């Protein structure tokens, strides 16, 4: 069983003064020990959210929304993985908004993933097709490319720590949600690609049980207009291990209901 993850992506919302209070309110509404909870506020709010959750004794992880692929240097405005120490234990990498507006590619995603793993930060790597790609019938090819390049060069042991978020770009912030079947199909494909990349141990020499492969360990989240009304059906799919929530994660009531849908 892969533990369910419910992650909030606040995007470019909240000031430090607002963020602590919002994090505390949200955490109080989503108290479920069986669910891994993660809140990803803007960089400038990380300390406020960490402090507020710590003071309230809430076991909620804090994540950043991006990280630079170099460790330090002349990169004005950027934040590196070692700089997250003490502030964030998770990080979103390659969100479609970063690919769309900030020129991120499968290659930069791969570099960012490696520095995050080196720093001991849990990466949530986002993949997903745009509408034109879905309409052209090349969704599988796009996802295969994103995974093959984005996750390349990583040992099985490290790859098992990976969290992937399948976020069809046409479903982000649009109110359009992939059907549970559409989402399951792509999650299954992502697991298949991971299995190809990390075939895992074969049957034990004495006919013992098969080793758990990387693909079985990686948690794959769905993202894109997740709301209380659609969360349950999405989370019931066998290859969907949680959700990454944007808009609804700023509303404590809605986000609390999404967490309950995971039970
Ligand atoms: P949304 O965003 O829930 O507002 O569609 C999801 C995301 O971008 O991670």
């Amino acid at each position: 069983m892969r533990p369910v993850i419910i992650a909030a992506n606040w995007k470019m919302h909240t000031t430090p003064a607002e963020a602590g209070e919002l994090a505390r309110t949200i955490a109080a509404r989503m108290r479920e020990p069986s669910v891994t909870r993660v809140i990803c506020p803007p960089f400038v709010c990380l300390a406020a959210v960490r402090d507020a959750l710590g003071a309230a004794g809430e076991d909620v992880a804090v994540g950043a929304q991006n990280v630079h692929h170099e460790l330090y240097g002349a990169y004005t405005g950027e934040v590196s993985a070692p700089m997250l120490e003490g502030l964030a234990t998770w990080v979103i990498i390659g969100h479609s908004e970063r690919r769309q507006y900030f020129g991120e590619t499968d290659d930069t995603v791969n570099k960012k993933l490696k520095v995050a793993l080196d720093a001991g930060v849990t990466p949530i790597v986002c993949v997903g097709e745009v509408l034109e790609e879905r309409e052209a019938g090349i969704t599988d090819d796009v996802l295969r490319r994103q995974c093959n390049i984005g996750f390349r060069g990583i040992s099985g042991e490290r790859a098992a720590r990976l969290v992937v978020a399948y976020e069809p770009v046409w479903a982000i912030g649009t109110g359009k949600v992939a059907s549970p079947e559409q989402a399951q199909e792509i999650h299954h494909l992502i697991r298949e690609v991971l299995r190809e990349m990390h075939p895992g141990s074969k049957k034990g020499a004495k006919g013992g049980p098969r080793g758990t492969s990387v693909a079985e360990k990686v948690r794959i989240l769905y993202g894109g207009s997740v709301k209380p009304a659609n969360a349950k059906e999405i989370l019931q799919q066998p290859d969907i291990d949680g959700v990454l929530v944007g808009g609804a994660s700023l509303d404590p009531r809605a986000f609390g209901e999404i967490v309950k849908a995971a039970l």
Side-chain angles (χ1 to χ4, degrees), residues 147-241:
C147 294
N148 277 314
I149 300 176
F151 310 154
R152 78 179 159 207
I154 292 162
S155 70
E157 199 187 321
R158 277 153 66 87
R161 286 166 45 208
L162 190 61
V163 178
V164 181
Y166 168 56
E167 301 204 304
V169 181
W170 47 271
I172 295 177
T174 57
K176 283 187 204 159
V177 61
S179 70
E181 295 75 26
Q182 276 174 326
Q184 164 58 27
E185 198 182 306
I186 301 299
H187 282 233
H188 185 76
L189 170 76
I190 294 170
R191 225 178 276 291
E192 200 51 50
V193 175
L194 285 163
R195 209 167 277 129
E196 289 162 13
M197 294 177 87
H198 300 280
S201 54
K202 301 274 180 306
K203 225 177 186 161
K206 293 188 180 119
R210 263 179 82 92
T212 312
S213 77
V214 170
E216 257 57 65
K217 287 189 187 148
V218 170
R219 272 95 37 98
I220 309 178
L221 317 183
Y222 171 80
S225 298
V226 174
K227 305 273 183 287
N230 57 34
K232 195 157 200 87
E233 246 196 314
I234 290 170
L235 286 162
Q236 275 167 350
Q237 302 303 312
D239 284 298
I240 300 186
D241 307 314

Side-chain angles (χ1 to χ4, degrees), residues 9 11 95-97 167 171-174 223-227 244-248:
N9 174 10
K11 308 194 179 185
H95 189 280
S96 64
E97 285 149 17
E167 301 204 304
I172 295 177
T174 57
S225 298
V226 174
K227 305 273 183 287
L244 177 57
V245 187

Side-chain angles (χ1 to χ4, degrees), residues 12-260:
M12 197 170 71
H13 295 286
T14 71
T15 63
E18 296 161 349
E21 183 56 33
L22 181 61
R24 213 174 14 244
T25 312
I26 285 178
R29 286 191 175 246
M30 54 185 280
R31 244 182 237 131
E32 296 299 342
S34 60
V35 175
T36 301
R37 306 169 297 166
V38 188
I39 295 180
C40 303
F43 281 128
V44 294
C45 300
L46 289 171
V49 169
R50 174 203 61 193
D51 292 347
L53 294 170
E58 296 285 359
D59 182 20
V60 177
V62 181
Q65 296 173 15
N66 182 30
V67 68
H68 195 267
H69 61 265
E70 294 291 346
L71 300 182
Y72 56 87
Y75 300 102
T76 304
E78 291 292 321
V79 173
S80 73
M83 291 174 191
L84 296 175
E85 192 182 336
L87 285 171
T89 52
W90 291 61
V91 64
I92 297 172
I93 292 173
H95 189 280
S96 64
E97 285 149 17
R98 299 230 38 104
R99 294 176 189 252
Q100 191 177 351
Y101 305 125
F102 301 98
E104 294 198 11
T105 63
D106 298 329
D107 278 308
T108 59
V109 166
N110 182 247
K111 289 181 183 161
K112 287 172 182 230
L113 172 59
K114 288 174 177 163
V115 292
L117 290 168
D118 286 346
V121 177
T122 303
I124 303 178
V125 180
C126 301
V127 292
E129 80 288 2
V130 300
L131 187 59
E132 297 74 50
E133 291 164 339
R134 178 157 282 266
E135 286 177 347
I138 56 169
T139 300
D140 288 14
D141 299 337
V142 170
L143 267 297
R144 275 189 174 277
R145 187 204 71 222
Q146 290 177 336
C147 294
N148 277 314
I149 300 176
F151 310 154
R152 78 179 159 207
I154 292 162
S155 70
E157 199 187 321
R158 277 153 66 87
R161 286 166 45 208
L162 190 61
V163 178
V164 181
Y166 168 56
E167 301 204 304
V169 181
W170 47 271
I172 295 177
T174 57
K176 283 187 204 159
V177 61
S179 70
E181 295 75 26
Q182 276 174 326
Q184 164 58 27
E185 198 182 306
I186 301 299
H187 282 233
H188 185 76
L189 170 76
I190 294 170
R191 225 178 276 291
E192 200 51 50
V193 175
L194 285 163
R195 209 167 277 129
E196 289 162 13
M197 294 177 87
H198 300 280
S201 54
K202 301 274 180 306
K203 225 177 186 161
K206 293 188 180 119
R210 263 179 82 92
T212 312
S213 77
V214 170
E216 257 57 65
K217 287 189 187 148
V218 170
R219 272 95 37 98
I220 309 178
L221 317 183
Y222 171 80
S225 298
V226 174
K227 305 273 183 287
N230 57 34
K232 195 157 200 87
E233 246 196 314
I234 290 170
L235 286 162
Q236 275 167 350
Q237 302 303 312
D239 284 298
I240 300 186
D241 307 314
V243 286
L244 177 57
V245 187
S249 74
L250 292 159
D251 173 351
R253 188 197 55 81
F255 200 58
E257 283 178 32
I258 291 170
V259 173
K260 290 211 174 69

